[in-house]
């Protein structure tokens, strides 16, 4: 059963929060939190009027993810970058019931209703849409909405998993995911370099240490740095292409170690990123909205 969020309290921000202090706060509070599906999610809705699109950082993001630079519309994944500091403020707060350390981004669903020019007059809203049991722990759903003139022009729903012992709920959904994973034909091979995590961090502001250097990644149990999940899906969508009005589904299955070799595969609206032995790192689908 999903835990519904508490009644909403809207908080309007004067500027986008700085990510580094939020990461530090979340790390310090993590040992004090004990995840459980029945916990209440925070009821705060954070609103950022007129989010700033830095053209230099946007261009750096486009380059590292493989999108064309200087387009008339933001890349389909870029509003997630704008909303991520707000999401981190919610997930690092004392009232968020899941520990930030070890929290895994498991999926994202994006709907873009129309093209979003970089110079648009936007407003961002981010909130936690409740907690739900997962076969490996508890998942939180974070919703991001980009509005222009009062209309939602882009929205996403991300799930973040806190692992802990469970009664193995959700096996049926995992089986459905496997059914969707019929192998796709390979399109091309990519060799992400060891600095991809640092380049994406500089462009997005997300400087999680697991993505930066082998040493900092080993502190969290990884043999070397891993690619940001949102870099992997953005790279796939840059190769796949998306219409102005589109729906995107992406499930993150396994981390991509850096440096490494991966295979981009696609057919019709489906795409995947595979590693050695056919291991699926990302699987997704693009459809008209």
């Amino acid at each position: 059963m999903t835990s519904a969020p508490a009644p909403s309290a809207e908080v309007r921000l004067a500027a986008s929060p700085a990510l580094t202090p939020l990461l530090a706060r979340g790390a310090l509070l993590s040992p004090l939190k004990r995840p459980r599906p029945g916990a209440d999610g925070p009821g705060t809705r954070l609103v950022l009027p007129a989010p700033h699109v830095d053209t230099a950082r946007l261009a750096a993001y486009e380059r590292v993810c493989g999108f064309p630079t200087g387009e008339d519309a933001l890349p389909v994944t870029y509003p997630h970058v704008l909303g991520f500091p707000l999401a981190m403020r919610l997930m690092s707060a004392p009232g968020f019931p899941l520990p930030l350390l070890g929290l895994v981004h498991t999926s994202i669903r994006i709907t873009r209703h129309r093209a979003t020019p970089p110079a648009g007059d936007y407003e961002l809203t981010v909130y936690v849409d409740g907690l739900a049991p997962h076969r490996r722990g508890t998942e939180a759903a974070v919703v991001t909405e980009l509005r222009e003139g009062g209309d939602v022009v882009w929205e996403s729903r991300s799930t973040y998993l806190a692992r802990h012992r469970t009664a193995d709920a959700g096996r049926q959904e995992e089986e459905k995911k496997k059914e969707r994973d019929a192998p796709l034909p390979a399109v091309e091979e990519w060799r992400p370099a060891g600095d991809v995590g640092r380049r994406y961090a500089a462009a997005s502001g997300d400087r999680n240490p697991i993505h930066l250097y082998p040493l900092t990644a080993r502190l969290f149990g990884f043999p070397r740095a891993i690619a940001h999940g949102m870099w992997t899906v953005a790279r796939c969508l840059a190769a796949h292409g998306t219409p102005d009005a589109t729906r995107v589904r992406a499930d993150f299955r396994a981390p991509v170690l850096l440096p490494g070799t991966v295979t981009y595969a696609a057919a019709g609206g489906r795409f995947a990123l595979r590693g050695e032995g056919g291991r699926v790192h990302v699987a997704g689908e693009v459809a008209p909205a």
Side-chain angles (χ1 to χ4, degrees):
M1 178 181 296
T2 300
S3 172
S8 294
E10 184 175 287
V11 175
R12 299 183 71 83
L13 305 178
S16 184
L19 274 171
T20 300
L22 296 177
L23 285 168
R25 180 177 71 174
L28 289 172
L29 292 177
S30 288
L32 306 177
K33 298 185 178 183
R34 296 293 180 267
R36 55 187 177 85
D40 291 331
T44 305
R45 297 170 68 97
L46 297 180
V47 178
L48 178 63
H52 175 62
V53 176
D54 184 300
T55 54
R57 287 182 62 178
L58 173 59
Y61 177 89
E62 291 168 334
R63 287 192 295 270
V64 72
C65 295
F67 291 105
T69 58
E71 294 288 285
D72 292 335
L74 295 171
V76 66
T77 48
Y78 198 72
H80 172 87
V81 173
L82 297 176
F84 188 66
L86 282 68
M88 283 298 303
R89 174 164 163 169
L90 292 173
M91 291 190 290
S92 66
F96 185 70
L98 305 182
L100 189 64
L101 284 182
L103 207 60
V104 179
H105 194 183
T106 53
S107 74
I108 188 167
R109 306 290 184 268
I110 295 172
T111 301
R112 183 171 63 186
H113 299 279
R114 61 175 186 256
T116 51
D121 185 15
Y122 301 121
E123 180 178 87
L124 266 174
T125 300
V126 179
Y127 60 94
V128 177
D129 193 28
L131 308 182
H134 184 278
R135 72 185 185 91
R136 293 180 178 173
T138 300
E139 269 188 340
V142 178
V143 174
T144 301
E145 297 171 343
L146 188 70
R147 286 184 167 81
E148 186 175 33
D151 297 328
V152 176
V153 295
W154 183 100
E155 55 191 314
S156 73
R157 183 182 183 89
S158 284
T159 55
Y160 294 89
L161 172 66
R163 292 190 178 99
H164 58 84
R165 290 185 179 180
T166 69
D168 203 24
R171 185 180 295 277
Q172 184 176 3
E173 177 58 25
E174 291 297 314
E175 292 302 319
K176 289 180 181 178
K177 287 181 181 179
K178 290 179 182 178
E179 290 173 8
R180 293 197 298 257
D181 279 351
L184 297 171
V187 176
E188 56 186 345
E189 186 178 89
W190 299 336
R191 296 176 180 266
D195 68 346
V196 161
R198 297 190 293 277
R199 290 174 58 209
Y200 183 86
S204 68
D206 181 2
R207 291 180 170 84
N208 188 322
I210 63 176
H211 305 303
L212 302 181
Y213 300 97
L215 178 59
T216 55
R218 283 197 290 270
L219 295 174
F220 296 90
F222 296 98
R224 55 187 191 268
I226 64 172
H228 290 71
M230 285 304 298
W231 175 83
T232 63
V233 70
R235 183 69 185 88
C236 288
L237 292 173
H240 188 283
T242 54
D244 286 346
T246 189
R247 289 194 304 273
V248 173
R249 169 189 65 80
D251 298 314
F252 305 108
R253 306 291 179 78
V256 173
L257 294 173
L258 300 173
T261 301
V262 292
T263 299
Y264 168 67
R270 296 173 56 215
F271 65 86
L273 198 63
R274 298 195 299 258
E276 294 182 5
R279 186 185 194 191
V280 176
H281 296 289
V282 180
E285 189 172 6
V286 176

